[in-house]
């Protein structure tokens, strides 16, 4: 199928010829000229989901390969895909919120709709990672733990990692109760830029700012953290937003080392 779609990309990852990556938009145009919404997960029958995954992967040049993803549970578990014989149908049963691999030819991905998707690349050791960093995962320092795990398993040095933050609900739209802000106050008692006061005792939480602080804590260099600063809730026509729509589709953020 020759689908036409506007995917989001990081220029900083495009500099590496050994990498393929992209983030899916809400819609694509199929070869009959119809506009379709991407449906990767949820109540749709699996046939359509599989079909749409194929459409998206083919649009970025990944053909005849399955996407490796995990069962995301808003936790801090990290799955290291190191067994080349493992099937994607097996990894999808594993509960985790990040995937790390050195294996080439295996696209890894996370699904989000407001939570922050993060792609990581170690150009020295050729290791990639994807992270699902929502409020709960960020509270559990998921990005920090992924960077630490890449160091433990592969010897990655934080200062050499390139990190891309995809579209997520921004500090402009993410209004939360005080109890949602409290854990971050404890984690970052000296920082203030990651929230602002809202109405009637509520706050606007900036997940991207929180994760930049997490990245810094993990040893990433500020100049190696690239954020699209793209708010899903402000751009619901182009991106899925759970906050805006409730039950909705998912954005796929994927990265692969070319075989
Ligand atoms: Zn917004």
């Amino acid at each position: 199928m020759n689908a036409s779609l506007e995917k989001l990309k990081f220029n900083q990852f495009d500099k590496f010829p050994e990498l393929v990556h992209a983030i899916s938009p809400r819609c694509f145009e199929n070869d009959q000229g119809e506009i379709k919404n991407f449906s990767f997960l949820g109540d749709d029958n699996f046939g359509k989901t599989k079909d749409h995954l194929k459409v998206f992967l083919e649009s970025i040049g990944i053909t005849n390969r399955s996407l490796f993803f995990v069962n995301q549970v808003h936790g801090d578990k990290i799955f290291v895909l190191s067994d080349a014989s493992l099937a994607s149908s097996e990894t999808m049963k594993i509960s985790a919120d990040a995937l790390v691999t050195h294996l080439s030819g295996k696209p890894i991905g996370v699904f989000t709709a407001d939570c922050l998707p993060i792609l990581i690349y170690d150009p020295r050791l050729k290791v990639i990672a994807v992270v699902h960093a929502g409020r709960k995962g960020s509270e559990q320092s998921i990005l920090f733990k992924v960077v630490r795990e890449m160091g433990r398993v592969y010897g990655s040095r934080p200062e050499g990692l390139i990190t891309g933050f995809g579209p997520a609900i921004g500090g402009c739209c993410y209004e939360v109760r005080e109890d949602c802000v409290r854990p971050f106050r404890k984690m970052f008692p000296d920082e203030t830029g990651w929230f602002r006061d809202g109405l009637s005792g509520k706050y606007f939480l900036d997940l991207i700012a929180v994760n930049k602080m997490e990245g810094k804590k993990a040893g990433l260099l500020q100049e190696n953290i690239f954020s699209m600063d793209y708010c899903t809730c402000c751009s619901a026509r182009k991106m899925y937003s759970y906050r805006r729509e409730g039950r909705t589709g998912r954005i796929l953020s994927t990265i692969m080392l070319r075989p």
Side-chain angles (χ1 to χ4, degrees):
M1 183 189 263
N2 280 321
S4 136
L5 54 101
E6 278 177 56
K7 51 211 163 255
L8 278 73
K9 303 197 78 185
F10 294 98
N11 295 335
Q12 293 81 9
F13 286 139
D14 269 346
K15 287 181 192 150
F16 300 101
E18 67 274 24
L19 279 187
V20 189
H21 84 284
I23 295 174
S24 70
R26 188 183 181 105
C27 313
F28 66 95
E29 189 181 330
N30 69 13
D31 44 9
Q32 282 96 48
E34 299 163 327
I35 305 294
K36 297 277 179 192
N37 280 326
F38 271 120
S39 168
F40 297 127
L41 295 173
D43 300 334
D44 299 278
N45 64 62
F46 190 60
K48 186 171 160 196
T49 299
K50 254 169 80 176
D51 199 40
H52 283 188
L53 269 180
K54 193 164 166 267
V55 167
F56 182 65
L57 292 178
E58 282 181 359
S59 80
I60 58 171
I62 299 177
T63 47
N64 298 319
R65 291 181 194 280
S66 310
L67 178 77
F68 286 79
F69 59 98
V70 284
N71 175 36
Q72 298 173 195
V73 289
H74 296 278
D76 65 350
K77 296 274 181 300
I78 301 154
F79 176 64
V80 179
L81 177 63
S82 52
D83 176 357
S85 68
L86 204 65
S88 57
S89 55
E90 290 301 314
T91 60
M92 67 193 273
K93 294 178 200 153
I94 295 166
S95 291
D97 286 274
L99 280 113
V100 181
T101 193
H102 69 289
L103 297 173
S104 61
K106 308 262 184 197
I108 55 174
V110 284
F111 294 99
T112 55
D114 288 346
C115 290
L116 176 64
I118 305 177
L119 304 180
I120 309 178
Y121 182 46
D122 181 342
R124 186 174 64 96
L125 299 173
K126 310 274 185 285
V127 176
I128 52 174
V130 285
V131 187
H132 163 233
R135 179 173 58 80
K136 289 184 187 141
S138 302
E139 240 177 71
Q140 295 164 78
S141 294
I142 178 111
L143 173 59
F144 178 90
K145 288 173 182 170
V146 171
V147 172
R148 192 176 59 186
E149 187 71 353
M150 289 174 78
R152 192 186 68 81
V153 177
Y154 292 105
S156 293
R157 299 178 193 139
E159 65 274 17
L161 300 179
I162 316 284
T163 311
F165 289 9
I169 190 166
C172 39
C173 293
Y174 194 25
E175 196 174 23
V176 296
R177 293 191 315 264
E178 202 276 329
D179 57 305
C180 300
V181 172
R182 209 177 302 143
F184 299 114
R185 281 196 205 276
K186 284 197 189 129
M187 289 160 76
F188 306 105
D190 302 325
E191 309 267 1
T192 51
W194 54 272
F195 72 95
R196 63 187 170 87
D197 294 341
L199 293 171
S200 54
K202 288 190 166 184
Y203 295 89
F204 285 96
L205 175 61
D206 186 342
L207 270 183
I208 291 172
V210 163
N211 278 280
K212 281 183 179 167
M213 296 188 296
E214 276 294 309
K216 206 171 127 194
K217 200 172 76 185
L220 302 178
L221 300 183
Q222 207 138 357
E223 61 264 34
N224 288 338
I225 300 178
F226 301 97
S227 173
M228 287 182 174
D229 289 329
Y230 191 127
C231 174
T232 44
C233 194
C234 285
S235 327
R237 248 172 10 98
K238 288 192 166 178
M239 285 284 150
Y240 287 118
S241 169
Y242 181 79
R243 172 57 68 106
R244 185 174 283 268
E245 305 165 276
R247 277 163 57 92
T248 188
R250 293 289 179 273
I251 298 163
L252 167 60
S253 301
T254 185
I255 187 165
M256 183 185 86
L257 287 161
R258 283 184 206 278

